[in-house]
Amino acid sequence: MNGYNFAYLDEQTKRMIRRALLKAVAIPGYQVPFGGREMPMPYGWGTGGMQLTASILGVDDVLKVIDQGADDTTNAVSIRAFFERVAGVETTTVTPAASVIQTRHRIPETPLEPGQILVFQVPIPEPLRFIEPSEQETRLMHALEEYGVMHVKLYEDIARHGHIATTYAYPVKVDGRYVMDPSPIPKFDNPKLDMSPALLLFGAGREKRLYAIPPYTHVESLDFEDHPFEIQRWDERCALCASDRSFLDEVITDDAGGRMFVCSDTDYCLTRRGELS
Amino acid sequence: MLWPTLNDPVHDSQRLFRQLLSAMSEPGTLHTLEVSSPPGDDIGPALWGVLLTLCDLDTRVWLAPGLDTPELCEALAFHTGCRLSDDPAEADFALVTPGVLAEPIAFALGSDEYPDRSTTLLVALDTLEPTGEWRLTGPGIALRRQLGLDAAAAPLMARLAANRESFPCGLDAILTCGARLAALPRSTRIEEVA
């Protein structure tokens, strides 16, 4: 596309983000501040993830973009079209065919492979933010590894509901040091963060923070001995592909209480339906 | 003698950065960089490629005595526009040979609140092999990995092994030998095995 640099961002910005990414990888789970740029869409639509994708993307990459697991929703379609236009890269919906996957709020069901990079869009990168509004304070808490308050929050869940009621953006501890917000993925996806063969990058555009989990890094979800971490389970199977192990969305089908459960990962579901038929 | 630059600044620097990112994500893996060789013996193509990929007007570079030739200073200024610093404590990147690290040079280690504000060492080595006496474990390494360096690298490895004491503050290092490169971020546990 004329008038724009390859992948939209100018080279000076890419270098700044690249240097920050190397530091983020070197300090797993630590939020590195970066000079976030204005992108041609509003905050909250994935500007952080897009800046990271733009900084790592090359002509040989194959890009996949998902939104809540789906390749065909507005956010995914728009971002995919954006990079087709400004970088001319090949795009795909097939998880194993992608070298870079930008995601909003899901990790694909198909296990990721070594060499793949998953870029998460993050709204609020600070896991302690809802407990402590001051950035200065939360920075100090991370510096002092002062994470007791996070366990208090989970304990309050138990006191009130009888179980840990946090179901998404469930806090994790990376390599035994930093408590990190895995972005609003369902806690169903948290186990996929642990010892992932793929590199995981996180970008928050409004908050101008980026962080990373290198491949093969220990990531544990916070819990208690008597209330161990658990993921969501369903009594139903996917109504389309009959999967009993994927993350299911409940879809209302009429105004008489009709409903069905379907996979949130469209590529996984379509692939399974292709194999079944 | 002219110092070479990247033939295609946009796509070459992207390709080199992805190799760097891969090296930093999987410490101890070796990567061969396709970059034209700079003149002289001090700086190999991998090291020169890293400088061209990461340095610009926003970065301060410290050159170890012995490496700070007028030719390199001129080439860095011309190709990257980076600022040279006399103070290692304010350097984003420090160009060193392992022997230089026998002295306790005060590089930036970052602070507990901002551990990212630390110097990245760019090291010119004579030996860099995928097997040898250094055993690496930690993030980015499924089980364990090895690196083979020569005796001259001992002060460097002692300095990097000490990173665990100060974590999350510490030094990250990009080790280069000719066209090859490996990275040792501060998260890596380093042991010498007989």
Side-chain angles (χ1 to χ4, degrees):
Chain A
M1 188 184 184
N2 290 336
Y4 285 99
N5 188 28
F6 175 80
Y8 188 75
L9 290 177
D10 60 281
E11 289 302 300
Q12 180 102 0
T13 298
K14 285 186 195 172
R15 268 193 302 272
M16 173 267 297
I17 293 177
R18 287 169 182 170
R19 288 192 294 261
L21 280 173
L22 292 180
K23 286 295 174 197
V25 167
I27 318 167
Y30 164 74
Q31 301 165 49
V32 183
F34 75 103
R37 298 294 187 253
E38 207 163 301
M39 297 301 278
M41 60 182 203
Y43 288 133
W45 287 72
T47 55
M50 273 171 81
Q51 291 179 73
L52 263 51
T53 301
S55 303
I56 63 172
L57 207 61
V59 279
D60 297 332
D61 276 312
V62 180
L63 178 71
K64 171 182 164 83
V65 185
I66 52 172
D67 171 8
Q68 300 274 14
D71 296 276
D72 54 3
T73 46
T74 313
N75 197 231
V77 171
S78 307
I79 293 174
R80 197 163 55 233
F82 176 81
F83 281 113
E84 278 170 2
R85 200 163 160 198
V86 300
V89 292
E90 191 186 330
T91 57
T92 183
T93 58
V94 182
T95 302
S99 55
V100 176
I101 305 175
Q102 182 171 328
T103 174
R104 174 176 176 271
H105 308 182
R106 268 319 302 279
I107 297 174
E109 305 287 359
T110 312
L112 298 175
E113 286 158 27
Q116 287 185 308
I117 302 179
L118 191 59
V119 179
F120 293 76
Q121 303 172 193
V122 184
I124 296 166
E126 179 51 73
L128 304 166
R129 182 62 69 234
F130 291 106
I131 303 165
E132 171 52 63
S134 156
E135 168 70 10
Q136 213 168 0
E137 280 298 316
T138 53
R139 276 229 159 234
L140 192 61
M141 288 162 80
H142 283 294
L144 299 174
E145 223 175 328
E146 179 60 67
Y147 294 132
V149 65
M150 194 49 120
H151 273 102
V152 171
K153 179 178 175 284
L154 297 175
Y155 171 75
E156 282 175 353
D157 268 6
I158 297 171
R160 193 171 302 164
H161 305 284
H163 60 98
I164 298 175
T166 306
T167 55
Y168 67 96
Y170 192 104
V172 295
K173 197 170 215 181
V174 183
D175 193 35
R177 178 57 178 83
Y178 280 98
V179 164
M180 190 198 92
D181 180 352
S183 87
I185 56 171
K187 65 178 179 178
F188 180 87
D189 284 339
N190 273 25
K192 298 177 194 165
L193 299 167
D194 185 40
M195 298 306 269
S196 158
L199 172 62
L200 311 175
L201 304 177
F202 300 78
R206 178 176 22 212
E207 304 286 324
K208 299 172 177 55
R209 296 286 184 276
L210 58 84
Y211 48 105
I213 303 177
Y216 309 112
T217 299
H218 287 291
V219 179
E220 54 173 324
S221 303
L222 301 183
D223 63 358
F224 300 95
E225 278 176 20
D226 52 344
H227 283 272
F229 173 77
E230 283 175 348
I231 60 171
Q232 292 101 331
R233 303 201 183 281
W234 290 263
D235 296 330
E236 296 79 5
R237 286 166 170 251
C238 171
L240 302 175
C241 77
S243 171
D244 61 353
R245 60 199 56 194
S246 75
F247 187 84
L248 299 180
D249 286 335
E250 186 178 0
V251 181
I252 307 296
T253 51
D254 54 35
D255 57 2
R259 63 190 61 195
M260 64 195 277
F261 287 85
V262 293
C263 293
S264 95
D265 185 333
T266 52
D267 172 58
Y268 172 81
C269 196
L270 283 168
T271 307
R272 276 181 56 86
R273 277 143 70 188
E275 284 168 3
L276 286 177
S277 61
Chain B
M1 176 93 182
L2 281 176
W3 285 60
T5 186
L6 302 175
N7 292 327
D8 181 344
V10 172
H11 296 106
D12 284 350
S13 62
Q14 185 275 338
R15 180 172 47 80
L16 296 178
F17 169 71
R18 280 289 279 278
Q19 290 187 290
L20 264 172
L21 183 64
S22 180
M24 197 62 99
S25 321
E26 301 194 60
T29 52
L30 291 183
H31 302 261
T32 304
L33 270 55
E34 270 180 53
V35 183
S36 309
S37 291
D41 298 330
D42 293 345
I43 310 282
L47 189 47
W48 182 236
V50 172
L51 288 165
L52 291 175
T53 303
L54 295 179
C55 293
D56 58 24
L57 313 173
D58 292 333
T59 50
R60 281 161 300 188
V61 178
W62 182 82
L63 304 177
L67 292 174
D68 56 348
T69 58
E71 292 79 18
L72 175 62
C73 295
E74 206 172 289
L76 274 175
F78 181 74
H79 288 300
T80 72
C82 70
R83 286 170 289 165
L84 297 176
S85 171
D86 294 331
D87 182 2
E90 61 167 32
D92 300 301
F93 297 99
L95 210 62
V96 297
T97 51
V100 171
L101 297 167
E103 301 290 318
I105 302 169
F107 295 110
L109 300 179
S111 62
D112 286 332
E113 284 93 340
Y114 292 95
D116 56 305
R117 297 178 181 174
S118 58
T119 306
T120 303
L121 301 178
L122 309 178
V123 193
L125 293 168
D126 294 326
T127 312
L128 182 60
E129 297 298 332
T131 53
E133 67 281 23
W134 298 99
R135 185 162 70 192
L136 316 174
T137 51
I141 304 169
L143 210 54
R144 62 183 68 87
R145 219 167 259 144
Q146 291 183 0
L147 265 189
L149 308 172
D150 54 28
L156 165 75
M157 296 308 272
R159 188 82 197 250
L160 294 178
N163 271 335
R164 285 315 298 174
E165 309 286 308
S166 58
F167 193 87
C169 299
L171 295 168
D172 309 311
I174 295 168
L175 314 181
T176 68
C177 172
R180 277 178 305 156
L181 157 164
L184 287 178
R186 70 192 76 178
S187 59
T188 302
R189 287 81 160 159
I190 301 170
E191 286 173 284
E192 190 170 12
V193 287

